[in-house]
């Protein structure tokens, strides 16, 4: 049997405490395969929607700029936590989450996508409708979904 050697592992991180576990497992996979690691965070267009209610257009731009700066710092911190390895790239995108993850994975020739699922009933959410379901339905790239719920949930 011929085995697949992954050359690029894309790790999609949410901006929350569960991202550490997802990053560590994804990075371990990448290291085991001697693959490049791509840490990705997608800013959903939700902040633009909320800021659209302001009357000051300049405030809307500043708010989104601050959000991008904050999330880039988050990615840089995740990279540093993993050892600041030169094989780790960080990518920040905005858009619809599942669509943007898949598009970025394709653009960067990722061989596998690693992402977390923090739902209490993550399998039910996959079946009933979620970002993970969109990923499963539309991805031609293998997915590794990491359950990140707390043991006491």
């Amino acid at each position: 049997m011929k085995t697949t050697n992954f050359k690029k592992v894309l790790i999609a991180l949410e901006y929350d405490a569960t991202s550490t576990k997802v990053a560590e497992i994804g990075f371990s996979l990448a290291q085991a395969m001697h693959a490049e690691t791509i840490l990705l965070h997608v800013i959903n267009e939700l902040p633009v929607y909320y800021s659209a209610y302001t009357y000051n257009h300049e405030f809307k731009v500043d708010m989104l700029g601050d959000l991008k700066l904050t999330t880039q710092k988050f990615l840089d911190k995740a990279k540093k936590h993993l050892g600041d390895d030169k094989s780790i790239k960080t990518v920040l995108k905005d858009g619809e989450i599942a669509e943007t993850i898949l598009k970025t994975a394709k653009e960067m020739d990722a061989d596998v996508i690693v992402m977390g699922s923090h739902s209490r009933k993550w399998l039910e959410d996959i079946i009933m409708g979620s970002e993970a379901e969109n990923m499963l339905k539309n991805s031609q790239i293998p997915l590794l979904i990491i359950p990140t719920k707390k043991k006491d949930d």
Side-chain angles (χ1 to χ4, degrees), residues 10-19 22 38-47 64 66-76 78 89-98 100-102 104-105 108 113-115:
L10 185 141
I11 305 169
L13 298 176
E14 293 187 58
Y15 189 75
D16 65 23
T18 67
S19 66
V22 175
I38 303 162
L39 300 177
L40 170 68
H41 178 74
V42 178
I43 298 173
N44 194 316
E45 295 184 27
L46 196 57
L64 187 56
D66 288 345
L67 182 60
K68 286 184 177 183
L69 180 64
T70 300
T71 50
Q72 183 59 55
K73 286 180 182 179
F74 160 75
L75 286 173
D76 293 341
K89 291 183 180 177
T90 62
V91 177
L92 180 61
K93 300 268 185 153
D94 57 79
E96 191 62 40
I97 293 171
T100 304
I101 292 170
L102 292 173
T104 303
M108 302 194 83
I113 300 168
V114 178
M115 60 187 290

Side-chain angles (χ1 to χ4, degrees), residues 97-134:
I97 293 171
E99 180 183 312
T100 304
I101 292 170
L102 292 173
K103 183 178 177 186
T104 303
K106 190 173 183 179
E107 289 171 356
M108 302 194 83
D109 295 319
D111 298 298
V112 63
I113 300 168
V114 178
M115 60 187 290
S117 176
H118 58 272
S119 171
R120 292 177 184 205
K121 299 179 238 166
W122 71 274
L123 185 57
E124 288 177 28
D125 286 348
I126 288 172
I127 294 167
M128 296 165 72
S130 67
E131 295 301 330
E133 179 186 17
N134 288 337

Side-chain angles (χ1 to χ4, degrees), residues 47-95:
V48 174
Y49 173 78
Y50 282 118
S51 64
Y53 287 105
T54 66
Y55 293 106
N56 183 345
H57 180 71
E58 186 175 332
F59 175 74
K60 182 169 97 173
V61 173
D62 287 345
M63 183 177 160
L64 187 56
D66 288 345
L67 182 60
K68 286 184 177 183
L69 180 64
T70 300
T71 50
Q72 183 59 55
K73 286 180 182 179
F74 160 75
L75 286 173
D76 293 341
K77 184 177 178 181
K79 179 179 177 179
K80 187 174 182 177
H81 174 77
L82 297 174
D84 212 11
D85 192 293
K86 292 182 182 186
S87 71
I88 303 172
K89 291 183 180 177
T90 62
V91 177
L92 180 61
K93 300 268 185 153
D94 57 79

Side-chain angles (χ1 to χ4, degrees), residues 1-6 33:
M1 179 175 94
K2 184 179 177 186
T3 59
T4 302
N5 189 19
F6 298 134
M33 301 294 269

